[in-house]
Amino acid sequence: MSRRRVLMVASEAYPLAKAGGLADYVSGLAKALFREGCDVKILLPAYPSALAAIKGPISRFRVDGLDEFGAVSLIAGRTPGDVGAWLVDCPSLYARDGDPYQDADGKDWPDNARRFALLNRVGALLATGNGPLSWRPDLVHLNDWPTGPLAAMLKLANAPVPRTVFVIHNMAFLGLCAADVLPLLGLPGEVLGESGLEFYGHVSFLKAGLSYADRVVTVSESYAQEILAPEFGCGLDGALRARGDRIIGIRNGVDYDEWDSRVDNRIAAGYGAHDLAGKALCRAELEQHFGLRPRRDVPIFAYISRLTHQKMADVLVAAAPEIVRQGAQLAILGRGDRDIERALCELSRQFDDEVIVRPGYDESAAHRLLAGADALLAPARFEPCGLIQIYALRYGTLPIVSRVGGLKETVVDADPETLAAGTATGFMFDDRCLAGLLGAVERALAVYRDRKRWRAMMRNAIGRDFSWQRAVTRYLELYDDMAPVAAERRVSAPVTKVGDDANVVYLGNLAAASD
Ligand code: ADP
Ligand code: GLC
């Protein structure tokens, strides 16, 4: 069989551009597929960070036929992990400070619809063999709302097209914009309507992926079930149910080349399950450089996250004084909601060297906090998979998580049975509220006082294996299984009410954006 060619289209890929776990997923899975013999190309906007990180040899190709976006070119190179990377270059859309979605003040770019429409259009050119390169994929792997319309473009293309897999990393981001985006996407008016990409009078980029991709995947088995109900379906649970058995849960793997305390060169000292000495050095480094008061018998709880409703950042603010009172120190690294950032900074002033807060995004600090802390607070109101708690396990930093989504699949709650069996790796709570979190913190502190028990849990945690192998095998099976899909007809996808928790991304007004 010839090498399978996969076009991986995304808005993030580590280390080219990262806002969260999506970047780690794209680079980790692409690398794992590459190691399995696939010819993978990651297609990403040419953000300044991506242009700075891409490796040579680099070639640039002009992209014709997209005049409505201005001058567009494609830069071909490789990621530092040696996977093929293609960057869509259009400086008027991408050459900006900020992250893939927002400016430096945390506001969504007003022209996000146009920015990601271009990514989809270039993806369609490449997938149909009309781009500047002769390479054509067998399969197009799409990730989250920024890439959803490409599934529609290919389904409606009047040409032989590759199969599409659409991966939902987070249902809460619907990618909404006005219907006047359609000409920019090159899509006909017929895609509007309940069975298409319409969502209450708007276009939803996410729904485009759900409605038109040949296969829909989510990033854990639990989340695949959860999103079929209104509580987690963000108004699209009806559309998801309509797809029936074609929504598949494949839990993410993690890249242990990047996230393993034995080999991590960002941390003060390496350590593993049978040699935990290095962890004490990492803790000392954390105390010294982050300004936490050294206190021998008090555990450090880290929180490393986007500061959002999803991650219960508001609950963390409310819980912090009580966590300190119960006898823990807090080390917080986060970027997101500006009010929450301010509230956390206020807490760090109030509790001086018992609570430290680093507002912002800092990749290296994330590794050092994981290594130096004793436990990781990773509460979430919903969690499609969650990678940070899986990383924490490998650093012997016991996760405290809510029983939801990928969190409940990757952490084993410490109860008398799992403690006796030597399988416990963390602490889980059911009620996703202040009392629930504080209850789990109290249980963690009780075990921490029994150091022998805590160390046994650390060793269990470090020993768990969540490498990409299992997931990549499932993706390859899925790719293989897709050949007969071409003849299938598109399913209809009715909309239902928007859930209260829907964290809608509104992509802006196209007319205004194009002025
Ligand atoms: P999500 O993708 O929902 O944010 P994940 O747990 O899947 O959650 O992935 C989070 C990723 O983002 C991890 O790699 C984590 O280290 C990183 N991260 C989150 N916030 C920050 C931050 N403020 N600074 C550095 N890294 C961060
Ligand atoms: C999203 C989800 C997170 C998941 C990540 C990678 O950001 O919120 O749960 O781990 O994508 O799939």
Side-chain angles (χ1 to χ4, degrees):
M1 197 169 70
S2 65
R3 270 181 100 197
R4 211 185 269 100
R5 289 175 306 244
V6 181
L7 181 65
M8 175 82 67
V9 190
S11 49
E12 304 177 31
Y14 180 79
L16 305 181
K18 176 167 171 178
L22 173 61
D24 292 355
Y25 166 96
V26 169
S27 55
L29 176 59
K31 194 160 93 179
L33 288 168
F34 176 65
R35 286 182 178 163
E36 289 294 323
C38 295
D39 178 4
V40 188
K41 313 283 186 212
I42 298 174
L43 183 69
L44 200 77
Y47 313 111
S49 60
L51 290 168
I54 195 169
K55 273 195 348 181
I58 290 180
S59 336
R60 185 186 281 270
F61 305 87
R62 205 180 70 207
V63 181
D64 292 325
L66 296 175
D67 297 342
E68 60 271 49
F69 295 93
V72 180
S73 57
L74 193 67
I75 297 170
R78 306 193 79 73
T79 68
D82 227 23
V83 175
W86 290 345
L87 306 181
V88 178
D89 197 22
C90 181
S92 62
L93 295 182
Y94 305 131
R96 308 170 179 183
D97 292 336
D99 80 11
Y101 321 102
Q102 297 186 329
D103 65 18
D105 294 326
K107 292 204 181 63
D108 287 351
W109 299 112
D111 56 351
N112 270 342
R114 171 174 285 273
R115 295 172 74 239
F116 292 110
L118 175 61
L119 177 68
N120 285 269
R121 290 290 293 277
V122 174
L125 288 177
L126 293 167
T128 52
N130 291 310
L133 300 161
S134 57
W135 188 93
R136 279 194 67 184
D138 304 309
L139 207 125
V140 180
H141 188 119
L142 303 166
N143 296 284
D144 261 356
W145 67 266
T147 63
L150 184 44
M153 293 175 189
L154 294 181
K155 186 62 103 189
L156 302 177
N158 198 10
V161 290
R163 306 279 175 270
T164 52
V165 174
F166 182 67
V167 181
I168 306 168
H169 297 267
N170 198 331
M171 281 298 296
F173 296 102
L174 299 174
L176 295 185
C177 62
D180 59 2
V181 74
L182 292 183
L184 210 49
L185 292 170
L187 288 172
E190 72 174 69
V191 298
L192 287 175
E194 283 202 355
S195 60
L197 42 73
E198 188 168 336
F199 188 83
Y200 295 99
H202 288 83
V203 161
S204 161
F205 273 35
L206 182 86
K207 192 169 172 223
L210 296 185
S211 301
Y212 293 98
D214 293 319
R215 289 285 189 275
V216 178
V217 172
T218 71
V219 291
S220 71
E221 285 82 359
S222 305
Y223 194 59
Q225 291 303 315
E226 288 168 353
I227 55 179
L228 298 178
E231 186 189 359
F232 295 97
C234 299
L236 285 172
D237 45 294
L240 289 164
R241 285 194 302 273
R243 293 222 45 147
D245 61 353
R246 282 184 298 172
I247 299 189
I248 301 155
I250 302 180
R251 194 180 59 235
N252 293 341
V254 302
D255 184 351
Y256 288 126
D257 294 343
E258 298 286 339
W259 296 97
D260 185 338
S261 57
R262 286 172 301 188
V263 299
D264 189 337
N265 58 23
R266 291 173 161 113
I267 65 177
Y271 59 91
H274 302 293
D275 173 18
L276 288 168
K279 189 155 176 77
L281 297 176
C282 293
R283 180 178 159 133
E285 194 267 352
L286 191 161
E287 289 166 345
Q288 203 183 341
H289 285 100
F290 290 78
L292 264 183
R293 181 146 63 96
R295 290 180 67 190
R296 268 203 68 183
D297 294 320
V298 170
I300 301 172
F301 289 1
Y303 177 89
I304 304 162
S305 183
R306 294 183 287 115
L307 300 177
T308 61
H309 184 71
Q310 174 188 352
K311 305 291 182 177
M312 293 174 67
D314 52 324
V315 176
L316 176 76
V317 172
E322 180 59 17
I323 294 176
V324 173
R325 204 194 58 74
Q326 285 190 15
Q329 294 179 316
L330 281 173
I332 298 167
L333 171 65
R335 181 174 68 182
D337 185 302
R338 293 299 190 268
D339 288 338
I340 292 180
E341 271 181 32
R342 275 189 287 275
L344 288 172
C345 290
E346 178 49 38
L347 279 170
S348 78
R349 276 189 289 276
Q350 200 183 331
F351 291 94
D352 196 17
D353 47 10
E354 302 294 337
V355 176
I356 50 148
V357 176
R358 282 272 174 104
Y361 184 91
D362 184 338
E363 188 73 23
S364 160
H367 286 252
R368 289 153 63 206
L369 282 184
L370 267 188
D374 298 287
L376 175 81
L377 294 168
R381 289 188 167 91
F382 62 94
E383 195 60 82
C385 178
L387 297 174
I388 192 80
Q389 83 283 0
I390 308 181
Y391 301 155
L393 293 172
R394 189 46 71 94
Y395 287 76
T397 303
L398 305 185
I400 298 174
V401 301
S402 36
R403 196 183 305 275
V404 73
L407 298 174
K408 70 179 182 203
E409 289 180 20
T410 51
V411 175
V412 179
D413 186 34
D415 62 25
E417 224 168 274
T418 55
L419 282 169
T423 52
T425 60
F427 305 90
M428 219 178 286
F429 58 96
D430 290 294
D431 296 333
R432 287 161 280 150
C433 63
L434 180 63
L437 175 62
L438 289 176
V441 163
E442 200 178 325
R443 287 200 296 125
L445 286 169
V447 177
Y448 185 78
R449 284 189 278 274
D450 180 348
R451 288 307 177 78
K452 207 164 147 226
R453 210 158 232 198
W454 187 272
R455 266 196 298 277
M457 279 183 71
M458 286 170 75
R459 280 192 276 271
N460 296 340
I462 294 173
R464 298 300 309 274
D465 182 2
F466 290 98
S467 58
W468 268 106
Q469 196 50 52
R470 171 180 175 273
V472 91
T473 306
R474 293 206 52 204
Y475 276 112
L476 288 171
E477 283 166 6
L478 177 69
Y479 293 171
D480 283 345
D481 183 45
M482 289 181 64
V485 177
E488 288 177 22
R489 280 199 309 113
R490 179 158 60 80
V491 289
S492 73
V495 290
T496 56
K497 185 183 161 288
V498 188
D500 292 334
D501 255 11
N503 189 1
V504 167
V505 182
Y506 189 79
L507 297 169
N509 181 321
L510 275 173
S514 54
D515 279 343

